[in-house]
């Protein structure tokens, strides 16, 4: 912080945001700086989100470029956009220099083209050489996620020398987890972790403790595939190499944890038909527009279900109890399908569906749906019979539940897998498409059976 004097010894509140408001009311920027200085960057972001723009701006003036960089590392959504708009190109160029190359590239990719060019022009040639290549890769690939900062040594280097070089490079490479062994052309030949290095005798060449068949990825690999490698092999870092095997950079576990969170959030939002750009700080009118668009699409899909029901108006008029029971069939069938679809979307994202044949997966989920349906058939049929006093209607109701849950299990697995093979994100339309189909199917099965069996 630009202010270093101590904060007041007494405050009227323990809440940092309230303390900052109190200090700003007294025009005491020294106290504001003291409050912010005591907070972790993630907590600073939380406080800044709570403040109105005028008070937030006073706080942002107190951060130096390195501290601003940490704010960007912790911020997201509307606050991150606000920070990008607030700081000038001169300040952002200093921030970029304080960030690791991957975070610097992420920041630049979020800016408009002319601002990016202005910031790049202000960077020293070495910094620009590290960041510019990363801007050419799509953000959702290994190249877009990697950082250029890596620690490499020739394979025959002795442990003593490597440790000495680590001490010198430690401040510039804070996230060193693995040391990469390369030949004289910079081609990756092996990897050794810090822990493995420390177990070697000082005169020993590092190659003797290294894994000489290391895992690696190319810059074009999708970030989800990279995340699966991290999960499967419990990696700390993963080198990124070009077509000739020369090491370009690395992806760290911190980077990939962010990817996992983004992918999980994206899938959750899409299953709920909510735009992934939405968050709690989004302007009200933006939220209304986003949600209204999705709800309009679902309303249009609901017309199909209403059309199916309209085919059986005569049956419903003669047996009014059908109107009471048919929403129950549709609701249970829809929930059964969503349960299966949620499991399938997660399995697809983790790569689990690649380990088993598609037919076996669909059959398994259909059988599970059928067995659950048998349970609901017995319970639902019995309850409907007892309440309505009509065993024949109870039998139709129970049979409909069994049939609908069977189809929901099959469709809940078939639709996500089919969408994935068509190159469409299963989470994007699985929920809405499945709900429309299962509702229409439930009405058709229940009302169709009732018409044939009872009328």
């Amino acid at each position: 912080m630009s202010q270093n004097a101590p904060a007041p010894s007494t405050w009227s509140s323990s809440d940092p945001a309230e303390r900052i408001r109190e200090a700003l009311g007294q025009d005491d920027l020294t106290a504001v700086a003291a409050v912010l200085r005591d907070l972790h960057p993630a907590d600073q972001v939380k406080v800044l989100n709570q403040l109105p723009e005028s008070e937030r701006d006073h706080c942002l003036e107190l951060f130096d470029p390195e501290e601003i960089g940490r704010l960007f590392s912790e911020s997201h959504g509307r606050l991150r956009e606000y920070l990008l708009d607030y700081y000038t190109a001169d300040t952002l160029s200093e921030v970029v220099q304080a960030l690791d190359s991957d975070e610097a590239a992420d920041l630049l990719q979020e800016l408009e083209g002319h601002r990016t060019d202005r910031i790049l022009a202000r960077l020293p040639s070495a910094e620009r050489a590290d960041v510019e290549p990363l801007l050419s890769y799509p953000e959702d690939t290994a190249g877009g996620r990697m950082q250029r900062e890596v620690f490499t040594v020739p394979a025959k280097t002795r442990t003593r020398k490597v440790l000495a070089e680590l001490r010198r490079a430690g401040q510039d490479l804070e996230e060193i987890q693995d040391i990469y062994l390369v030949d004289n052309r910079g081609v990756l030949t092996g990897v050794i972790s810090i822990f493995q290095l420390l177990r070697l005798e000082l005169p020993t060449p590092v190659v003797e403790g290294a894994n000489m068949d290391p895992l690696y990825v190319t810059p074009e690999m999708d970030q989800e595939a990279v995340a699966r490698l991290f999960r499967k092999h419990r990696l700390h870092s993963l080198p990124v190499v070009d077509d000739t095997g020369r090491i370009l950079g690395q992806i760290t576990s911190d980077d990939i944890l962010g990817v996992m969170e983004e992918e999980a959030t994206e899938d959750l939002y899409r299953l709920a038909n909510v735009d992934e750009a939405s968050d709690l700080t989004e302007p009200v009118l933006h939220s209304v527009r986003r949600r209204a668009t999705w709800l309009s699409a679902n309303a249009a899909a609901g017309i199909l279900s209403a059309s199916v029901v309209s085919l059986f108006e005569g049956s419903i008029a003669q047996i009014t109890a059908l109107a009471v029971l048919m929403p129950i069939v549709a609701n249970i069938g829809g929930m059964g399908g969503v349960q299966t679809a949620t499991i399938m979307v997660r399995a697809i994202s983790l790569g689990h569906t690649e380990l088993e044949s598609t037919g076996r997966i669909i059959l398994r989920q259909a059988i599970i749906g059928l067995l659950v349906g048998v349970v609901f058939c017995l319970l639902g049929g019995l309850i409907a019979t007892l309440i309505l006093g009509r065993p024949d209607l109870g039998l139709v109701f129970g049979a409909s539940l069994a049939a609908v849950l069977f189809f929901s299990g099959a469709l809940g697995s078939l639709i996500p897998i089919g969408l994935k093979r068509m190159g469409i994100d299963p989470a994007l339309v699985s929920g809405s498409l499945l709900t429309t189909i299962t509702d229409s199917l439930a009405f058709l099965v229940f009302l169709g059976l009732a018409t044939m069996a009872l009328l």
Side-chain angles (χ1 to χ4, degrees), residues 101-102 105 109 130-137 143-144 146-148:
S101 56
D102 58 332
Q109 285 175 332
D130 274 341
V131 174
E132 273 189 313
L134 301 181
L135 300 177
S136 63
Y137 299 113
M146 74 176 177
Q147 58 180 237
R148 300 273 288 174

Side-chain angles (χ1 to χ4, degrees), residues 181-338:
L181 280 53
V182 295
D183 63 16
N184 56 6
R185 297 173 298 153
V187 173
L188 178 69
T189 60
V191 62
I192 182 170
S193 70
I194 296 289
F195 176 74
Q196 291 168 322
L197 178 72
L198 294 175
R199 298 177 65 183
L200 297 178
E201 298 293 333
L202 293 179
T204 305
V206 290
V207 67
E208 294 189 14
N211 171 15
M212 300 309 288
D213 186 25
L215 289 171
Y216 59 85
V217 295
T218 58
E220 297 78 21
M221 180 176 284
D222 185 80
Q223 63 181 9
E224 291 189 59
V226 175
R228 286 197 291 270
L229 285 176
F230 269 85
R231 278 190 294 255
K232 180 178 179 180
H233 299 280
R234 300 180 182 275
L235 301 173
H236 298 297
S237 64
L238 192 60
V240 183
V241 303
D242 63 15
D243 294 337
T244 66
R246 291 179 66 252
I247 189 165
L248 300 173
Q250 68 171 343
I251 300 173
T252 66
S253 55
D254 287 346
D255 298 328
I256 217 64
L257 281 173
V259 171
M260 293 176 185
E261 181 180 355
E262 289 174 13
E263 295 291 343
T265 300
E266 179 182 288
D267 288 347
L268 178 63
Y269 276 8
R270 288 181 170 181
L271 279 172
N273 287 345
V274 178
D275 192 287
E276 63 233 46
S278 303
D279 65 25
L280 293 178
T281 63
E282 183 181 35
V284 172
L285 292 180
H286 289 191
S287 294
V288 170
R289 185 176 66 252
R290 294 184 194 279
R291 299 187 193 187
T293 300
W294 278 109
L295 290 174
S296 297
N298 285 327
I303 294 175
L304 176 62
S305 299
S307 300
V308 173
V309 173
S310 68
L311 298 175
F312 298 94
E313 287 182 2
S315 301
I316 297 172
Q318 294 183 55
I319 307 176
T320 55
L322 296 179
V324 176
L325 296 177
M326 66 180 186
I328 300 175
V329 178
N331 185 56
I332 292 177
M335 289 303 299
V338 169

Side-chain angles (χ1 to χ4, degrees), residues 76-151:
H76 61 277
R78 303 297 298 178
L79 178 61
R80 188 175 177 90
E81 294 177 9
Y82 187 87
L83 295 176
L84 290 172
D85 290 336
Y86 178 82
Y87 289 112
T88 64
D90 287 333
T91 300
L92 290 177
S93 66
E94 296 181 57
V95 172
V96 166
Q97 294 177 60
L99 292 171
D100 287 336
S101 56
D102 58 332
E103 292 184 331
D106 289 343
L107 187 153
L108 290 171
Q109 285 175 332
E110 294 178 54
L111 296 171
E112 297 176 357
H114 68 279
R115 292 192 74 196
T116 300
D117 294 339
R118 288 170 58 192
I119 293 170
L120 286 172
R122 288 169 167 78
L123 296 180
S125 57
E127 299 279 352
R128 188 165 59 251
D130 274 341
V131 174
E132 273 189 313
L134 301 181
L135 300 177
S136 63
Y137 299 113
E139 189 178 357
D140 59 353
T141 63
R145 290 292 180 177
M146 74 176 177
Q147 58 180 237
R148 300 273 288 174
E149 295 85 1
V150 291
F151 189 86

